[in-house]
Amino acid sequence: MSGTYNQGGEGAPIEHADQLAAYLAAGCKPRDAFRIGTEHEKFGFALEDHTPIPYAGEGPSVKKMLEGLIRFGWERVEEDGKLVALKRDSASITLEPGGQFELSGAPLETVHQTCAEVNLHLSEVREVADEIGAGFLGLGFSPKWSLEETPMMPKARYGLMKAYMPKVGTMGHQMMFRSCTVQTNLDFSSEADMVKKFRVSLALQPLATALFANSPFKDGQLNGYLSYRGHVWTDTDRNRTGMLPFVFDEGMSFQRYVDWVLDVPMYFVKRGGKYLDATGQSFRDFLDGRLPALPGEKPVISDWEDHIGTMFPEVRLKTFLEMRGADSGPWNTLCALPAFWVGLLYDDTALDAAWDLVKGWSADQRDGMRLAAAVHGMRAGYDGDRSMQDLAKEVLAISRAGLNARARLNNYGENEAHFLDDLDEIAASGVTRADQLIERFKGEWKGSIEPVFTECAY
């Protein structure tokens, strides 16, 4: 849920409905302009007592973290006079509802560069965190703190979402305040290229959930899932989440995605830096000047951009495709996720091979894989007696071939494929990071959650 910085009501007025699809189509770019954007979230905590860090206060706080990072050339972003984000070049640091710290990385050319960006960010965060007595966790779900113990960040849109979530699902607050993810944003060259990449990445998102499963704890105990974050998304708000079966229908296009987005209820409209409550209202009515939140007013492009940004399917289409199925995790996984998807989607031979693999799957099969991956990880079945582990080996081989074909080398002559090594180990052993944490919790940790604050800290 990356933040946006427009004041609302900006950009060209929307005069015709075809401008909505044109907004998405404007993302088409030549292959040599393809870039990689990586986002990841992490939980902040106080080193002294392992409590979540509040927005402000005398002890370690989110505000002190943001203020401390300014020394590295980050610029302030405020809302109602409160520091809520930072910008530097094309990157940003934003806050999720419960204070989860998110880096939205710059669009970069290679996985080597995005991994270096992550490494620099974590070193900057660590320097400031050490000074104020804070630490950060690389997990997909809050391991210990209840909703009541989790702070809420001072951003108006989160107040609107918090009030709305219980009306549309049972786990929206869990998603907002207690989950963390790592995501990758990738480009497309044409509508046909978008459709093919959308289909392949949607079909394989459950595999990413399984490979990156890293959220087996809740309230200090095992929660019965390997990716509890993945489970939470199954009942957050079914209007705007899930596997989008229409993407696989004949005639899938930018316009078809627009039609879906128009049928998803709104959250807000932004005017003059203020969020106006539009929860449950219709963007179609907005187009006709009949939005109750702004009677008589029609939307501009920034309103459409904001609305599209409140869609949360497993793969989200903006002017790029956003892969959303993975738990956040340790440093190496923050580099492995972009490598996994770049290998599959940025080489035509690999993309064809991946499509051949998934094109026969039904909507029920894809949904079943999504549910099973959150529970069983590599042990989840997906096709008769075949398991997610079998699928992982096959798909990782395709991704590795795609990265080898890209042949983007670092200063040591290595291409991007080495970032898949840890995933290959998971596929070979069938043991995810969540499985490892469960074993340690039952064994050497003796049922205590406290070691997680050392073992899973950055």
Side-chain angles (χ1 to χ4, degrees):
M1 297 192 310
S2 300
T4 57
Y5 303 119
N6 71 72
Q7 292 296 299
E10 295 181 351
I14 298 173
E15 305 287 356
H16 307 286
D18 58 8
Q19 287 175 257
L20 306 181
Y23 169 85
L24 298 174
C28 295
K29 50 178 62 76
R31 179 181 296 275
D32 61 6
F34 283 3
R35 295 293 182 265
I36 305 161
T38 303
E39 307 175 19
H40 81 271
E41 302 159 358
K42 49 201 167 293
F43 297 104
F45 65 94
L47 291 175
E48 183 178 7
D49 57 7
H50 299 165
T51 55
I53 57 174
Y55 173 74
E58 293 186 3
S61 69
V62 169
K63 183 181 178 184
K64 287 179 182 176
M65 280 298 310
L66 293 173
E67 290 173 337
L69 288 167
I70 291 172
R71 76 185 67 164
F72 300 110
W74 292 92
E75 300 176 25
R76 301 170 65 94
V77 178
E78 296 186 352
E79 180 180 314
D80 290 332
K82 290 185 170 67
L83 179 61
V84 295
L86 300 170
K87 293 188 296 183
R88 185 173 68 190
D89 300 326
S90 299
S92 63
I93 295 172
T94 55
L95 305 177
E96 291 299 290
Q100 304 97 312
F101 230 63
E102 177 177 6
L103 172 70
S104 295
L108 300 169
E109 293 186 37
T110 71
V111 183
H112 305 300
Q113 292 170 341
T114 200
C115 198
E117 176 189 56
V118 166
N119 193 37
L120 174 62
H121 168 74
L122 291 179
S123 68
E124 292 176 354
V125 165
R126 194 177 302 115
E127 179 175 320
V128 177
D130 285 347
E131 291 171 1
I132 68 171
F136 282 89
L137 283 177
L139 287 168
F141 195 80
S142 174
K144 180 180 176 181
W145 317 307
S146 67
L147 278 173
E148 293 72 25
E149 292 171 314
T150 303
M152 181 170 166
M153 297 300 103
K155 298 182 68 173
R157 64 180 290 188
Y158 294 156
L160 297 175
M161 290 174 64
K162 182 180 180 181
Y164 182 68
M165 283 294 184
K167 302 176 183 178
V168 291
T170 62
M171 291 188 282
H173 289 170
Q174 305 290 344
M175 177 277 291
M176 289 178 64
F177 294 96
R178 304 178 75 187
S179 69
C180 279
T181 185
V182 53
Q183 301 169 182
T184 296
N185 305 326
L186 298 176
D187 290 316
F188 43 79
S189 61
S190 65
E191 186 169 65
D193 188 45
M194 177 277 293
V195 171
K196 192 170 189 177
K197 288 174 175 173
F198 207 160
R199 289 171 172 169
V200 166
S201 56
L202 254 183
L204 291 176
Q205 217 58 224
L207 176 61
T209 299
L211 276 169
F212 290 85
N214 188 39
S215 48
F217 305 119
K218 178 190 176 198
D219 300 328
Q221 301 294 326
L222 299 177
N223 57 40
Y225 293 81
L226 298 186
S227 175
Y228 194 75
R229 182 210 58 84
H231 168 63
V232 160
W233 276 108
T234 64
D235 195 17
T236 289
D237 179 347
R238 297 193 183 192
N239 287 319
R240 66 186 75 237
T241 63
M243 295 292 283
L244 305 187
F246 70 84
V247 170
F248 298 87
D249 292 345
E250 187 175 350
M252 171 58 188
S253 62
F254 290 122
Q255 185 60 52
R256 179 65 186 89
Y257 191 80
V258 165
D259 292 340
W260 174 69
V261 173
L262 286 174
D263 287 329
V264 177
M266 296 175 65
Y267 278 160
F268 59 82
V269 183
K270 201 174 178 186
R271 288 292 181 271
K274 302 292 185 182
Y275 288 89
L276 307 180
D277 188 351
T279 51
Q281 297 176 27
S282 165
F283 205 93
R284 292 186 190 274
D285 288 343
F286 201 3
L287 291 170
D288 293 334
R290 295 186 289 108
L291 189 73
L294 279 177
E297 189 169 334
K298 291 191 175 184
V300 293
I301 289 298
S302 64
D303 296 321
W304 179 237
E305 183 179 23
D306 283 342
H307 185 49
I308 281 181
T310 67
M311 306 299 113
F312 305 126
E314 292 297 282
V315 176
R316 176 163 62 187
L317 174 62
K318 294 183 176 177
T319 51
F320 47 83
L321 286 165
E322 183 178 284
M323 314 292 123
R324 298 174 48 82
D327 287 359
S328 192
W331 175 83
N332 57 328
T333 69
L334 306 182
C335 304
L337 187 78
F340 177 75
W341 290 115
V342 166
L344 292 173
L345 303 185
Y346 273 7
D347 176 76
D348 286 343
T349 301
L351 183 59
D352 286 342
W355 175 237
D356 285 342
L357 185 64
V358 307
K359 64 184 179 183
W361 297 350
S362 68
D364 286 345
Q365 188 174 4
R366 293 188 297 267
D367 282 338
M369 291 168 64
R370 180 190 181 208
L371 296 174
V375 182
H376 302 296
M378 290 287 98
R379 296 184 293 278
Y382 87 95
D383 185 17
D385 60 356
R386 286 173 59 79
S387 69
M388 204 70 82
Q389 183 179 3
D390 299 320
L391 178 63
K393 294 175 183 177
E394 196 167 355
V395 173
L396 282 166
I398 295 172
S399 179
R400 184 173 288 274
L403 294 173
N404 286 335
R406 265 171 60 84
R408 301 296 181 92
L409 305 182
N410 63 13
N411 293 334
Y412 301 100
E414 302 169 311
N415 73 29
E416 298 159 310
H418 77 91
F419 290 112
L420 299 180
D421 290 351
D422 291 327
L423 300 183
D424 284 335
E425 287 185 20
I426 291 171
S429 66
V431 178
T432 66
R433 176 150 176 88
D435 290 308
Q436 294 175 346
L437 291 174
I438 291 169
E439 182 177 353
R440 299 183 75 181
F441 180 81
K442 291 179 176 179
E444 62 190 273
W445 296 1
K446 298 180 180 178
S448 170
I449 199 63
E450 299 307 321
V452 83
F453 293 94
T454 302
E455 300 297 325
C456 297
Y458 289 113

